[in-house]
Amino acid sequence: MNAKLIKLLFTTASIERWNDLPRPFKFIELDKQAHKMIIAYVLSHYEKNVDFLELIKLSIAGVLYRAVLTDLKSPVYNYLRKRKGKELDDFVVNKLKNILDKDMLEYIKKYNNTNSKERKILAAASLIANRWEFDFIYNFAKNSFGIEEIKKSLDYEIEDYYDLEGVKILALRKKTYDFISLCGNLRFQKRWANTPRVPETSVLGHMLFVAIISFLLTRLYGGNEYKIYYNFFTGLFHDLPEALTRDIIAPIKQGVVGLDEILKEYEKMLIEEKILPLAPKNIQNELKIFITEEFSNKIIIGDSYKKVDVAEDLLGQKGIDGSLVKVADHFAAFVEAIMSIKHGIKSPELKEAIKMLEKKYKNKKVYSIDLSKFFKKDFFND
């Protein structure tokens, strides 16, 4: 959890995708990586004996790998990979060796050099996320040169993963596909809708950023593998109801007495009636735990949970540090504001948000972590 790592992760919010084709709107790398991880979560629950800790670490390694290599098109990357794969890996490792610990650096080395089930799931999820984006471009620019070749290539590549049950189910484009489409739509919702920022970030990209920060904070205090799993995926899905409610800015929620409670009730209804019925049955209970009272500390009990003051990290304990995920959510907002100001957008709203968060987390700890050192403008000084 260091400034260089956070800034590198955040650069993916500035990387545009498909920028050599006519597009109806911008596609951003951070959003794609978030969608990819949501799809990987779905695919994993159709498989047996998936190591979710492995999946999470490989996923984060993939985000970092992409952040370093930035704008290499897939055909170009694949061509280079066949001829200079080791050199590419060495280049990325060299760029990251001073900002990652040994464990995560090993996953960077492992990312393109493993045939594990978890890596295969991520590869399939990436292709499905690519195809989801491409469908918009195809319908917008059918006459563009080479677009039929891209379509055929994606179809062929996805077919190579039909041995994964979830890929075959998503290929039917029925209910479960509608669920991943609902999640994907969150890329169209801007964060800080009334405040100009550079780069702009979406709710979808924000969710992955919160998930990764939750992962880093959980490792920092020594949380067990259950905590890493539950905290990461709570972060990844915590704003999912906003696919149907939109992101309502804090001043409105805080300025109208009782509005937040009414919104929570409305969200609960949408979760039960609109969101969960689309999800595969085998993830519905868990998904409900992730997105209901998302910032509460919880002990997982069967298919439900009990709220607690502190989700104690006992041996084998399944729990969610909702308060830690909330810190990650606030830190993501802090980063968004700081980075925008560093790009020259210095609105009063951004300055006030930074000031408020610095004050909120001054001399504050979660578990053993001193949060004040992260919620400081100086943290991001080069």
Side-chain angles (χ1 to χ4, degrees):
M1 186 77 171
N2 60 76
K4 288 184 179 179
L5 174 58
I6 300 304
K7 287 195 285 187
L8 180 62
L9 287 167
F10 197 67
T11 61
T12 57
S14 299
I15 300 173
E16 286 192 40
R17 296 171 48 74
W18 306 101
N19 56 6
D20 58 339
L21 290 171
R23 295 158 291 159
F25 41 80
K26 288 181 181 179
F27 293 96
I28 301 299
E29 187 64 31
L30 180 61
D31 300 342
K32 183 271 171 97
Q33 293 292 337
H35 202 195
K36 166 186 166 182
M37 193 60 208
I38 288 170
I39 296 168
Y41 172 81
V42 172
L43 295 180
S44 296
H45 282 82
Y46 286 105
E47 301 297 316
K48 295 180 180 178
N49 303 318
V50 174
D51 184 336
F52 279 95
L53 190 58
E54 183 86 355
L55 187 79
I56 290 168
K57 289 182 177 181
L58 283 172
S59 173
I60 295 171
V63 177
L64 291 168
Y65 205 99
R66 195 73 179 91
V68 172
L69 294 182
T70 61
D71 201 27
L72 280 181
K73 286 181 61 177
S74 292
V76 176
Y77 172 74
N78 291 334
Y79 182 85
L80 293 175
R81 175 111 226 126
K82 289 176 182 177
R83 289 155 180 79
K84 293 289 182 179
K86 184 180 183 303
E87 288 81 358
L88 280 175
D89 290 344
D90 290 344
F91 174 78
V92 174
V93 168
N94 189 56
K95 288 287 185 181
L96 296 173
K97 65 183 180 182
N98 293 323
I99 66 173
L100 293 181
D101 62 23
K102 287 184 179 180
D103 181 50
M104 280 309 300
L105 200 60
E106 286 303 312
Y107 275 88
I108 298 295
K109 296 175 183 177
K110 189 177 183 180
Y111 182 69
N112 284 308
N113 298 287
T114 177
N115 296 316
S116 69
K117 180 185 293 185
E118 292 76 20
R119 183 65 181 88
K120 187 173 187 177
I121 288 169
L122 287 170
S126 182
L127 286 170
I128 292 167
N130 287 348
R131 182 56 199 264
W132 191 91
E133 292 179 337
F134 178 75
D135 283 348
F136 287 94
I137 296 169
Y138 184 76
N139 291 326
F140 181 76
K142 286 184 179 179
N143 296 324
S144 294
F145 175 78
I147 202 161
E148 291 294 340
E149 184 180 349
I150 296 171
K151 181 177 181 293
K152 185 179 289 187
S153 175
L154 282 170
D155 288 341
Y156 284 1
E157 288 182 77
I158 290 172
E159 188 175 325
D160 289 340
Y161 292 90
Y162 273 11
D163 56 323
L164 296 174
E165 183 66 22
V167 174
K168 289 187 288 188
I169 289 170
L170 288 176
L172 297 173
R173 300 205 171 198
K174 301 295 185 181
K175 183 168 69 75
T176 303
Y177 191 83
D178 285 346
F179 173 73
I180 70 160
S181 290
L182 174 71
C183 296
N185 283 349
L186 284 164
R187 77 183 61 223
F188 306 129
Q189 292 189 33
K190 286 198 302 183
R191 298 260 300 155
W192 308 70
N194 297 335
T195 305
R197 287 183 304 113
V198 176
E200 292 181 345
T201 50
S202 73
V203 173
L204 182 61
H206 166 78
M207 284 157 53
L208 178 62
F209 199 69
V210 171
I212 295 174
I213 299 302
S214 298
F215 166 84
L216 294 173
L217 290 174
T218 305
R219 291 177 82 224
L220 195 57
Y221 89 79
N224 65 28
E225 63 183 63
Y226 294 116
K227 289 292 192 68
I228 291 174
Y229 173 86
Y230 283 109
N231 290 348
F232 179 88
F233 284 110
T234 296
L236 186 65
F237 287 107
H238 78 281
D239 277 339
L240 181 55
E242 289 182 14
L244 300 175
T245 66
R246 294 190 182 179
D247 182 21
I248 300 171
I249 60 175
I252 296 177
K253 285 191 268 190
Q254 295 165 5
V256 181
V257 176
L259 183 61
D260 199 33
E261 289 75 13
I262 294 171
L263 284 171
K264 286 296 181 186
E265 282 299 314
Y266 184 55
E267 281 188 359
K268 186 176 180 182
M269 180 271 289
L270 290 174
I271 289 168
E272 294 285 354
E273 296 182 10
K274 300 289 186 180
I275 296 175
L276 293 179
L278 289 178
K281 285 188 177 180
N282 60 348
I283 68 170
Q284 286 181 7
N285 286 326
E286 186 169 80
L287 194 62
K288 184 177 180 180
I289 292 171
F290 292 151
I291 62 180
T292 303
E293 300 180 294
E294 68 277 20
F295 296 140
S296 294
N297 294 321
K298 305 167 187 174
I299 297 295
I300 311 299
I301 304 170
D303 291 333
S304 189
Y305 66 88
K306 178 179 72 173
K307 287 202 294 183
V308 293
D309 291 335
V310 178
E312 293 179 2
D313 204 359
L314 305 175
L315 182 63
Q317 183 74 63
K318 295 182 180 181
I320 298 174
D321 299 309
S323 56
L324 182 143
V325 177
K326 187 172 185 177
V327 170
D329 184 55
H330 284 167
F331 186 67
F334 190 73
V335 173
E336 289 167 347
I338 287 281
M339 290 302 145
S340 187
I341 286 175
K342 283 183 175 291
H343 282 94
I345 305 296
K346 302 179 181 181
S347 69
E349 292 84 359
L350 294 174
K351 291 179 180 179
E352 182 58 32
I354 292 168
K355 183 179 177 182
M356 182 271 291
L357 288 167
E358 282 184 320
K359 182 178 179 181
K360 180 179 179 67
Y361 287 99
K362 186 177 182 180
N363 301 321
K364 189 170 182 179
K365 290 186 177 183
V366 60
Y367 293 109
S368 58
I369 303 170
D370 177 10
L371 298 172
S372 62
K373 68 180 182 181
F374 301 121
F375 286 88
K376 281 183 180 178
K377 293 190 288 289
D378 292 348
F379 178 70
F380 294 97
N381 287 345
D382 294 326

